[in-house]
Amino acid sequence: DNHRPFKIPIEDNDFVQKNISDEVLKKNGFESLKEYNSFAYSDYCFKKFIEAAKKNTYFNNTIFVFVGDHGLEGNASAVYPKAWMDQRLADEHIPLLFYSPNLLTAQQRNETVSQIDILPTIAGMIQQPYINTTLGRDLLDSTKKENAAFIIYHAPGWIGMVTDDYFYRKNIRIKKEELVTATNKPLNLTPLQQDSVKKYLSTLTTSFYETARWMLVNNK
């Protein structure tokens, strides 16, 4: 699978592994040939699954959702911004695909979203009334205003928010905070502007964190 040590089941002998040079692998953010082939194997599995589903009548009236549970730590500097390594955003980067040729219009979206947004989005897609008591939102709702995702690293105590432009995080155990660019563009902010962005994202981070804690025992 696409977890280390990147083993591929021997029974799937129709999957053809490729031999790619180290130069091309590193240029595209892969640490080894085994890692590349394991990701290619994931694509192979998706293809096999959809081919099997197409043979059934439910296919035309089903929305398929493909999503990862977490990203992969490694050197992705060839394809992603600096913060993806230094602040470990690559660990949080996952694929998300909604697939239903007969029900959904094909499009590619690039805004910052979160795993918690998936269920509300599905609820909106099926066009049935629903009550959302989560912190997630319908990603296809044209009235949504801000693209942001909450991130937590439990062991070191970091909590933060990543937006389309910035990644802010602070430590809940020691007095420390960081603001970096989440893109390839430099952080062109004056000290006053940085303080303003930090203050806003710090409030948003704390609000999200404390609301999530409250919901653990109060949400119904």
Side-chain angles (χ1 to χ4, degrees), residues 8 15-21 25 33-34 36-37 40:
I8 296 172
F15 170 70
V16 179
Q17 298 191 44
K18 294 184 179 180
N19 190 11
I20 299 174
S21 69
L25 289 171
L33 184 61
K34 290 184 68 175
Y36 168 82
N37 278 310

Side-chain angles (χ1 to χ4, degrees), residues 1 7 19 26 45 60-62 66 71 76 83 98 113 115 123 128 149-150 153 156 166 183 194 196-197 215 220:
D1 58 31
K7 290 190 176 181
N19 190 11
K26 291 179 181 178
C45 292
N60 293 327
N61 196 37
T62 298
F66 298 91
F98 299 100
V113 302
Q115 284 176 313
Q128 295 290 327
F150 177 80
Y153 296 111
Y166 309 112
T183 70
Q194 283 199 44
S196 177
V197 173
M215 289 172 65
K220 299 182 186 295

Side-chain angles (χ1 to χ4, degrees), residues 179 187-199:
L179 176 68
L187 192 67
N188 287 329
L189 298 174
T190 66
L192 187 62
Q193 289 173 327
Q194 283 199 44
D195 288 342
S196 177
V197 173
K198 282 182 180 179
K199 183 178 179 181

